[in-house]
Amino acid sequence: MTGRRRLGLVAAAASLLAAAPLSAIFETWTWLLQCILTVGLVAGAAVLTRTLRFPTWAQAAGMVLVLLLTLTWIFPSHEELLGLIPTPATFNHFGELFSEAGNDTRAYGVPVPNRDGLLFIAALGIGAVAIVVDMLTVVARRPALAGLPMLAIYSVPVAVYIDSVPVIPFIVASIGYLWLLVADNVDRVRRFGRRFTGDGRDVDVWEPSPLAAAGRRLAVIGVAAAVVLPLIVPGLNTGLLNQLTQVGTGGGGTGGGPGNGRIDLSATLSGFLNTTETIPYVKVTTDETDPFYLRFGVADALNKDGFKARTPTGRPISNGLTSPQDNPKTDGGEYQRYHADVEITNDFTQSLAPIYSSTVTMDGLDGSWAYDQSSQVIFSNRTNVRGKKYSFDYVRAKYTPDELRQAEQLPSDDPNIVQFTTVPADPTVETLVQKLVKNKDTPYDKVMALYKYFSKENGFKYSLTAAGPNGDVSAIDAFLKDKSGYCQQYAASLAWMAREAGIPARVAFGFTKGDTRDGKAYVLTNRNAHAWTEVYLDGFGWIPFDATPAASVAGSSRSAWAPDTDQVETPSASSSATAAPGAASSANASTAPGAGKDVDAGGSVTGDAATGSGFSTTAVLVTALIALLIALLLVPALRRVLVRKRRHEATVPTVAAASAGPAPPGSLDVVVTTEAVQAREDAHAAWDELVDTMLDYRVQVDPTETPRHTAQRLIHEADLQNSSAAEAAVLLGTAEERARYARQPMRGAALTTALAQVRKGIAATSTRRTRLTAVLLPPSVMLRWRLAIGEASTTGMTGISRLRDVLIRFSPRRLLANRAR
């Protein structure tokens, strides 16, 4: 196989590896199988066109044609010619898939199910990237530029994934890119030709290049830094490093569970309510005696499955929060301005900032946060609210039922009617709504008729195990029939029915007041997550209605215009928590069936107890990664300690005897053993340890020198004159010299003690940096590992070369060549 065709296959494989980050978006692996098929056929087309020596434009056209045929085969419109040739209906079908993909991106959160539109976009995108990478690598010979389309693939999960983007897919994609660069450089080297020996034989031995080795080391260090730094460096909360760990639009991805600190605006809240673990999320202090719910998100896109959250859009909060549309047009109502301070824990990672309704000023959040005027939420596309502290002023409006009855029906062309009254066709809901709102004249009376329907008198009850859709029965039909559910079912059903009655409505998400206080602050946990309905009344704006049974929700609040339909009188849940004035009932933690109940059987807790009840999975993961990194860094030091211990054990004399002769003046005492062979091995082990010590402390080692000359040079360069370390160095040199050249080696010398004295003497004259390097990253160990890797690489390449030579013997080309003769 020629270099260009081989490089084209590597480019295809690198494109598939670059698609690994998409695993964070899809629920199953169907997308991967389709992408493998698509890229494989495109790569086959590239190999075929290059084998037939087509021009460059024909190669590109062939790959594009095969991509089109593959997409037609995988996503058919069933009107193709011969089942494969696309027709105009095929392209219309592709356009429908594009539109479906756009709707799915707004309706679903990651990970998304196997929707044809999204799978089509994935296969088309990866196939197009494979073509671009192939052309840049094989034709333009610019493999480095191929990293741009690969990076475009990675930008998809970074842009849409609310939680931390997994690190492993990023590493897989990086390996594909590095493989592409290495393959291109190897191909460039091979184009120089083959080397020959003096007798004309070709040589195919891999020899390491210092420049290539430096490039590989820089690449590995760069990838490792990109992966490790965002995990261990605190305070990096913007830019690309933050996108590797935590990003989000606040739009509605999957929550996944109470442990991830993010509440899904589209899916169930029951996981946050029925868990046995209580996780503090928010601590809020306000000068309002009876605050309403702290809200942070809105779901206003309705389909047959329920309400979904759209991606918020708006202006930076530095431009202000209020506008004429935010202020009520009526003269009725009572308005009071209040101030609130919010402190978010590290366990709450939503990209939406919890605030009270009608917030007018904001302080404490930077320019990455913006205000969505339509949904009245504070959001960020670059960071989340974890660990933030901020304050704001808000206006609380209180209305009487008579004042709200002044609101008139909005005209049919009003933007709120157009956007917030569309509902899927459901005969059951239509019939029920028409029955309930019959003879009701004002929008407020219609809403109250729907609101009062969700009462105990009509059979409704609170339960965290709500009935879901079954067969042709929709989710709302199942709830209205079973009449059992939690806050999300009540809020979504009331909003759906209000829309059916022609009144704009949506679902709001946030926290109740809860039943836990820390002084004047409300401590809100995952059990206080709540959903309620907001209805738009002309002249008054968005008015909240909470149809969930009040007695079952800790910290539930009711208003004069929407009282508790069950009229349940319950005592206060905490002596430090005040009852809501004007509310028909307040929540009691002891009566709530699991939701919002305190771990310690209700009542107030201190701030330490509240914050200590949570468990930070992220902190544990980061701690584990840091510990793993430290352990990996200590591997060379541990290896050096083990080698030194083994050598010391080899140099410890086992039998004491008399001296072999007069010792040199100033030398250490000599203890004699009985075995000459063991004495030589001891001397060699001690000398090897001395040489490694010299390498560790940056003392030059010359293998051509005699041991005696090396010892004298060590004394001079390490400044060991007139010390016991100098005597020890002389002893070690003499022992090695006699072990090499003398008939009788030096026996029983205290070599271990001598090594310790030399090491201590060299360390005393070395710099602090040299000493730290000798302990943590011993050069002797690193050099030995580098040599071992080089030897293993050479052995491997030699084996591959021999295998290739064996395979060449059975190549059909040789048969064709012999026949040509």
Side-chain angles (χ1 to χ4, degrees), residues 489-624:
Q489 279 74 39
Y490 283 94
S493 298
L494 177 58
W496 187 318
M497 295 171 69
R499 288 190 174 197
E500 185 66 47
I503 304 169
R506 64 191 184 189
V507 176
F509 293 85
F511 298 99
T512 66
K513 294 182 298 183
D515 55 7
T516 303
R517 298 287 292 270
D518 180 12
K520 296 182 179 180
Y522 294 91
V523 179
L524 309 179
T525 70
N526 56 303
R527 299 190 182 202
N528 303 130
H530 193 54
W532 62 94
T533 306
E534 291 183 345
V535 174
Y536 189 87
L537 298 178
D538 186 29
F540 297 90
W542 292 100
I543 306 300
F545 288 83
D546 188 1
T548 308
S552 301
V553 180
S556 177
S557 180
R558 291 297 184 266
S559 58
W561 64 83
D564 183 10
T565 57
D566 296 331
Q567 296 295 318
V568 176
E569 295 291 342
T570 58
S572 176
S574 172
S575 59
S576 61
T578 57
S585 68
S586 61
N588 190 327
S590 60
T591 61
K597 191 172 182 179
D598 191 39
V599 176
D600 298 324
S604 301
V605 298
T606 62
D608 294 339
T611 57
S613 60
F615 184 80
S616 177
T617 304
T618 303
V620 174
L621 178 60
V622 172
T623 303

Side-chain angles (χ1 to χ4, degrees), residues 209-226:
S209 166
L211 183 60
R216 289 192 294 270
R217 286 194 293 269
L218 289 175
V220 172
I221 292 174
V223 173

